[in-house]
Amino acid sequence: MKFFRGCCLSLFLLTAFLSISGQNRERTFDVQHYIIRTGFNRLTKTVNGDTTVKLKPLADGFKTFTLDAVKMQVLSVVHEETGKALVFKTDGTNLNITLEKAFAAADVISVRIKYRIVRPRAGIYFVAAKDKRPAQIWTQGEAEENRYWFPSYDFPDDKATSEQFITTTSADETAIANGELVDVKQNPNNTKTFHYRMSVPHATYLTSFIVGNYAKVENKHEAVPLGFYVYPGTEGIVQFAFAKTGKMMALDEELLGVKFPYNKYDQTVVAEFQFGGMENITATTMADTEIYAAGEKGVRLAATEVLVAHELAHSWFGDLVTCKNWANLWLNEGFATFFESVYLEREYGRDAYLNDLQNNANQYFAEAAFIKHPLLNLRAQPNILLFDATTYKKGGYVVHMLRETVGEEMFWKSLNVYLNRHKFGSVESADLQRAFEETTGRDLDWFFDQWVRKAGYPKLKIQPQYDAANKKLLLNVMQTQESNAQTPAVFRFESEFEIVTANGTETKKIEMTERNQTFTFDEPVKPTDISFDPRDQVLAKSEIEELAEFRTTSAAGQ
């Protein structure tokens, strides 16, 4: 998901992180498959739902279980295999079901739940027609909003296949959902029912649909159909907003060595969407405000391009391999943000890549002035505050630093190992570290400790001195960040100084391992300019004092 903030969330974060959330969730069953049937009454904003949950117990003696089901009027619960009506209770948040007997771990149980939701509070949204946009109904599941429209185990550590039967409110409407369109049925009451099947297991929050009157523009990347659903009469927007989708897909496949994992990729615009986009599996949702901004100006906008690149990258990072819990969300969002920069690098050059990284760093620095949390955020809560600059912008920059640390070849090889090892599964930060360490043969615990498990960043005060008598340049580098239990007193990193003299420009490498270090270099003439980290190798703020003359003949050692 890409989140565009109109204001800084940090003041809200100050209170949001006072309570600590557990990383994982206890569960007693493994969902195998969902069959979700939905119909609607636009006038009353009512959802008529009918969901079958097919599951396997995780232990013998399984008789009761709980599904997430918020504010649903549950009409009936039936064990499909036996046809028996089951005892159930609802408390406004959970649906507690009692089976007719205890089952074993080897059993497979299908429970069918019929329910009604009037004016859902979240998860599913009714949008009225306005100007050129049609009336719409769409869903938004991340973090834990799909529990508002179908009973489920709504947490990212469980993956299941799914089917949807979506009945429109009129004959001219289309339904777009995850996976393969199996069938479209014309109904006697001037509606249609669309049957979609998603045969690849996926996290609950990625389940979605959109209903409305849409025009579809089609393309292909190799054998993968690309669908672009836009408002009728606005098909021209596709050339400005979406035309490079296939090129982006090819780039991601080339770099990762992993083909696009699914049988289609749709992108659909919706109105009044609270985010820029959402990577619902095979069926990305896009805010019309982000997409149509490009066409209104008659140009391809970089902001629109990186949004498309971001959501597409989630097909690998988030959809194929999913964070096991919200504490590890950076594994989804940090990589998707990094792939924005990677796309810019390939399309517009290295400077565009570095500029994007610097913009990311600045957004993170602005937020970190109020609050710091590690990328591995053990205080994460399943609400909008998950989607902050630390998780996205710092996350993307840390992936870049990992690339710089292990080198180009090892970086992409490690990601290939990571994706192939965990495809269709759930991951934690330790899984990424393990893949990189095993592939590179290097101990990277120091890197993951200071950049992933700890918070903050180095603040550097740099004092340069030139020793004219001995023709030496001394660079005293001090880390001045305030340290605590979360923020290290010493960040370890490698970087460079760019030194300009009358003889030309030189690059000098350094490795920082202490809080205060002095680096000494041979320099025949006095520098005219000194800059730190010209290639943006480290996420740091630096201040370089004016070059001073060294007054004695002794020089500090490196």
Side-chain angles (χ1 to χ4, degrees):
M1 181 186 296
K2 188 169 182 68
F3 181 48
F4 291 87
R5 292 172 297 164
C7 62
C8 182
L9 289 175
S10 300
L11 292 176
F12 298 99
L13 287 166
L14 287 171
T15 56
F17 286 106
L18 291 177
S19 60
I20 297 177
S21 173
Q23 289 186 56
N24 297 316
R25 175 175 172 178
E26 290 186 12
R27 60 188 174 107
T28 60
F29 59 90
D30 178 18
V31 179
Q32 306 292 297
H33 187 64
Y34 292 102
I35 303 175
I36 309 163
R37 310 163 189 89
T38 45
F40 318 97
N41 183 317
R42 284 188 184 275
L43 185 63
T44 61
K45 294 184 179 180
T46 298
V47 181
N48 296 306
D50 179 349
T51 293
T52 298
V53 183
K54 182 179 180 180
L55 58 85
K56 288 189 69 174
L58 293 178
D60 294 340
F62 183 80
K63 189 172 182 181
T64 62
F65 65 99
T66 300
L67 296 173
D68 300 305
V70 179
K71 299 297 182 183
M72 295 182 188
Q73 181 186 351
V74 178
L75 306 175
S76 66
V77 180
V78 173
H79 186 172
E80 282 202 321
E81 286 85 0
T82 64
K84 291 187 176 181
L86 300 176
V87 175
F88 66 89
K89 289 183 179 180
T90 61
D91 60 10
T93 301
N94 302 304
L95 171 59
N96 302 298
I97 298 172
T98 301
L99 299 167
E100 68 270 31
K101 66 172 186 175
F103 288 84
D107 293 325
V108 177
I109 304 160
S110 292
V111 175
R112 186 166 182 173
I113 305 138
K114 294 185 179 181
Y115 53 96
R116 181 181 296 116
I117 310 164
V118 180
R119 296 185 178 275
R121 292 166 43 191
I124 186 166
Y125 299 83
F126 291 79
V127 177
K130 183 179 180 182
D131 300 328
K132 293 182 179 181
R133 83 181 189 204
Q136 303 155 37
I137 307 170
W138 48 260
T139 65
Q140 161 53 34
E142 192 178 19
E144 296 176 5
E145 288 192 27
N146 276 346
R147 63 185 64 195
Y148 287 85
W149 68 275
F150 72 95
S152 60
Y153 174 85
D154 195 10
F155 197 76
D157 66 341
D158 186 36
K159 292 192 171 185
T161 54
S162 63
E163 286 179 79
Q164 291 195 64
F165 293 83
I166 308 153
T167 300
T168 65
T169 61
S170 65
D172 62 353
E173 289 183 327
T174 297
I176 304 104
N178 319 106
E180 172 192 9
L181 178 59
V182 178
D183 182 50
V184 181
K185 177 185 175 183
Q186 302 286 339
N187 300 317
N189 62 349
N190 200 35
T191 65
K192 292 186 289 188
T193 298
F194 288 74
H195 177 197
Y196 282 89
R197 180 187 296 123
M198 186 66 213
S199 56
V200 177
H202 57 93
T204 307
Y205 74 87
L206 296 170
T207 306
S208 70
F209 70 77
I210 296 167
V211 172
N213 183 5
Y214 282 93
K216 183 182 182 182
V217 179
E218 298 180 85
N219 205 333
K220 266 193 172 185
H221 166 64
E222 297 180 349
V224 180
L226 306 177
F228 313 105
Y229 290 88
V230 297
Y231 303 153
T234 69
E235 292 86 342
I237 191 63
V238 171
Q239 67 175 311
F240 298 110
F242 298 121
K244 293 186 179 181
T245 301
K247 190 174 185 179
M248 294 173 183
M249 192 176 286
L251 173 62
D252 294 348
E253 290 178 330
E254 171 198 336
L255 293 173
L256 295 169
V258 178
K259 286 298 220 181
F260 180 77
Y262 310 112
N263 61 0
K264 74 162 188 185
Y265 187 62
D266 291 337
Q267 295 173 84
T268 306
V269 297
V270 301
E272 301 180 11
F273 199 56
Q274 61 264 61
F275 302 101
M278 175 61 205
E279 65 275 11
N280 301 308
I281 192 164
T282 74
T284 288
T285 302
M286 294 291 198
D288 59 4
T289 50
E290 303 297 332
I291 299 305
Y292 285 101
E296 288 169 0
K297 298 185 178 181
V299 295
R300 289 191 179 93
L301 294 182
T304 306
E305 286 187 353
V306 297
L307 172 60
V308 173
H310 179 107
E311 303 306 336
L312 176 61
H314 275 307
S315 298
W316 290 267
F317 300 95
D319 295 3
L320 179 65
V321 176
T322 309
C323 62
K324 186 177 182 180
N325 48 53
W326 301 121
N328 285 280
L329 181 63
W330 83 277
L331 294 172
N332 295 10
E333 299 300 347
F335 273 96
T337 302
F338 170 72
F339 269 82
E340 297 177 26
S341 306
V342 168
Y343 163 73
L344 293 173
E345 179 181 35
R346 178 62 66 92
E347 190 71 5
Y348 301 109
R350 185 70 177 181
D351 285 348
Y353 173 82
L354 295 177
N355 287 339
D356 195 55
L357 287 171
Q358 192 56 58
N359 288 336
N360 290 343
N362 290 337
Q363 289 185 55
Y364 161 65
F365 291 149
E367 180 178 275
F370 294 93
I371 191 168
K372 299 180 181 70
H373 66 78
L375 288 181
L376 178 58
N377 182 10
L378 302 183
R379 296 173 178 241
Q381 303 282 340
N383 56 39
I384 198 170
L385 298 178
L386 276 174
F387 310 110
D388 63 7
T390 300
T391 301
Y392 284 69
K393 305 304 184 179
K394 181 181 180 179
Y397 206 109
V398 167
V399 176
H400 157 71
M401 288 194 292
L402 188 55
R403 181 188 190 184
E404 291 290 307
T405 299
V406 302
E408 192 75 359
E409 181 181 1
M410 285 293 102
F411 177 77
W412 297 111
K413 280 186 178 180
S414 299
L415 287 185
N416 178 271
V417 169
Y418 170 71
L419 291 174
N420 279 308
R421 178 178 294 172
H422 299 289
K423 61 185 176 183
F424 311 122
S426 301
V427 290
E428 298 177 289
S429 299
D431 296 311
L432 180 70
Q433 179 179 341
R434 192 175 301 112
F436 269 80
E437 289 184 333
E438 291 177 6
T439 305
T440 63
R442 295 175 59 175
D443 179 2
L444 295 170
D445 195 60
W446 64 271
F447 182 95
F448 280 83
D449 185 59
Q450 70 183 25
W451 293 118
V452 176
R453 298 189 292 270
K454 298 286 180 63
Y457 59 92
K459 295 182 180 180
L460 308 176
K461 184 176 183 180
I462 301 165
Q463 297 171 322
Q465 291 181 303
Y466 184 65
D467 182 352
N470 294 295
K471 300 188 182 304
K472 301 284 186 181
L473 174 65
L474 288 73
L475 297 170
N476 180 242
V477 183
M478 295 178 288
Q479 298 192 37
T480 63
Q481 69 274 5
E482 184 178 343
S483 62
N484 52 40
Q486 283 199 321
T487 302
V490 178
F491 280 87
R492 171 181 167 184
F493 59 86
E494 294 181 359
S495 189
E496 298 170 342
F497 279 97
E498 189 173 82
I499 300 164
V500 180
T501 70
N503 296 333
T505 301
E506 299 176 280
T507 299
K508 304 290 188 180
K509 294 183 178 181
I510 66 164
E511 181 179 1
M512 197 82 185
T513 58
E514 301 173 16
R515 190 164 172 90
N516 190 341
Q517 285 177 259
T518 299
F519 302 92
T520 304
F521 303 105
D522 294 328
E523 202 60 69
V525 295
K526 183 179 179 180
T528 57
D529 189 50
I530 299 169
S531 60
F532 172 72
D533 196 29
R535 296 193 296 125
D536 292 307
Q537 292 175 283
V538 59
L539 181 63
K541 274 188 174 182
S542 61
E543 175 190 351
I544 302 180
E545 296 183 353
E546 187 175 347
L547 180 64
E549 294 284 351
F550 195 73
R551 297 299 182 183
T552 72
T553 57
S554 63
Q558 185 170 341

